[in-house]
Amino acid sequence: MLKNHINLKAVLYAAIMVAAMWLGYLLQQLGWFSGCSGAIIPLSPYGLKGIFLSPFLHGSLEHIFGNSVPVFVLIFLLYQFYPFIARQILFLGWILTGFLVWLLPPIDIYTGELNHVCIIGASGIVYVLAFFIFFSGVFRWNMKFLTVSMVVALYYGSLIWGVLPEELFSQLPEPSRVSWQSHLSGATIGILMAFIFRKSGERKVKYIWEFPNYYSEKDDKLWQEYKENHPEDFLELPYKKKENPWEHLDEIRKNQ
């Protein structure tokens, strides 16, 4: 029964992405990626490769655990409900978000000084998918997609606060290590793609009875009920038999 409703490819792709993230974390622990290797370093040519590699790298177990569940859930929802455009959304969102993060100067919001930062983690992808799925349902105004949007808003609505620097909400003893630039970039790209792709893939089905001039007797239940309860009103009505002039030929001749 579930196989008829759940896209197994959606589960597979989500699992592959999470597995790749954990493989990247394992390679980090083995010393394959150390320091800023594989990270996005804003405005540095050396940091461009981080656009592709940074989602697989994480700073701690807490960091990768925090990203694994939303990445799995959101990729599953993307491929389950947007299978025709899921690949474009995932990879375009991934690349564009990473590039936008690379373009944003890492400015300290209090001192205005440029900081040398190395940005890793899959949170940018989380924000791309969460904001795409939510706003795609809104822009399409389709009941099925709106329902998915509400589910995302219910579980991940608090993500909205992540697009702002953490220092604005609490006094921190040291600068926050959370990359609000990744969150803001992902949210922006997600909303833009939801708008651009709003007419792509599955569309809202418009049934014939939704057209203003449509009328079908079969869909008029009151009329059908009346016909069932009053069959005598629909018997064939008596009519006058059409006369045949050849039967009155003699009479016609006499009158002439």
Side-chain angles (χ1 to χ4, degrees):
M1 186 71 177
L2 288 175
K3 291 182 178 180
N4 296 330
H5 296 86
I6 294 180
N7 183 352
L8 295 181
K9 287 185 178 180
V11 178
L12 178 62
Y13 294 147
I16 289 174
M17 183 62 186
V18 172
M21 288 164 52
W22 280 91
L23 176 61
Y25 183 72
L26 176 62
L27 294 177
Q28 277 182 278
Q29 304 310 304
L30 295 176
W32 284 50
F33 298 94
S34 58
C36 288
S37 178
I40 297 176
I41 306 174
L43 304 178
S44 169
Y46 180 73
L48 279 171
K49 63 181 179 180
I51 294 173
F52 306 96
L53 297 177
S54 62
F56 303 113
L57 308 177
H58 290 80
S60 64
L61 276 174
E62 182 183 1
H63 190 195
I64 191 170
F65 269 119
N67 281 336
S68 294
V69 174
V71 164
F72 182 89
V73 171
L74 293 170
I75 289 180
F76 167 76
L77 291 176
L78 179 68
Y79 277 90
Q80 176 71 26
F81 294 99
Y82 299 91
F84 299 106
I85 57 173
R87 187 172 300 175
Q88 297 96 303
I89 297 303
L90 178 59
F91 290 104
L92 272 177
W94 180 337
I95 301 304
L96 292 176
T97 296
F99 186 64
L100 185 56
V101 171
W102 183 83
L103 286 176
L104 289 174
I107 299 176
D108 188 303
I109 63 171
Y110 291 121
T111 66
E113 298 178 354
L114 287 176
N115 296 323
H116 179 79
V117 295
C118 304
I119 300 173
I120 57 176
S123 58
I125 293 178
V126 170
Y127 273 75
V128 167
L129 299 183
F131 278 74
F132 169 80
I133 292 172
F134 176 79
F135 281 95
S136 184
V138 174
F139 292 147
R140 291 168 185 261
W141 206 249
N142 178 296
M143 187 55 65
K144 181 175 76 171
F145 295 129
L146 276 171
T147 303
V148 180
S149 297
M150 292 303 104
V151 171
V152 170
L154 178 64
Y155 286 96
Y156 298 110
S158 60
L159 290 177
I160 188 66
W161 302 110
V163 302
L164 298 172
E166 194 174 2
E167 290 86 349
L168 294 179
F169 306 103
S170 58
Q171 295 291 333
L172 302 176
E174 58 183 21
S176 172
R177 300 181 63 186
V178 177
S179 174
W180 63 269
Q181 294 94 335
S182 294
H183 302 169
L184 179 60
S185 300
T188 303
I189 297 299
I191 295 171
L192 287 175
M193 290 200 302
F195 181 78
I196 293 170
F197 286 89
R198 69 191 184 281
K199 295 182 180 179
S200 302
E202 183 179 344
R203 300 180 183 179
K204 180 181 179 181
V205 177
K206 192 168 185 179
Y207 298 97
I208 192 170
W209 55 79
E210 295 183 68
F211 290 88
N213 297 326
Y214 169 79
Y215 175 77
S216 173
E217 186 178 291
K218 292 181 179 180
D219 296 326
D220 192 333
K221 295 191 176 185
L222 290 176
W223 178 247
Q224 294 298 325
E225 184 178 344
Y226 181 83
K227 288 175 69 175
E228 291 178 6
N229 296 334
H230 303 84
E232 66 280 359
D233 292 347
F234 299 91
L235 297 176
E236 187 175 359
L237 296 176
Y239 61 90
K240 184 178 180 181
K241 184 179 179 181
K242 188 175 180 180
E243 294 185 355
N244 187 352
W246 295 102
E247 295 178 356
H248 307 282
L249 186 58
D250 293 337
E251 184 178 346
I252 292 174
R253 285 176 178 173
K254 290 180 181 178
N255 294 333
Q256 290 179 347

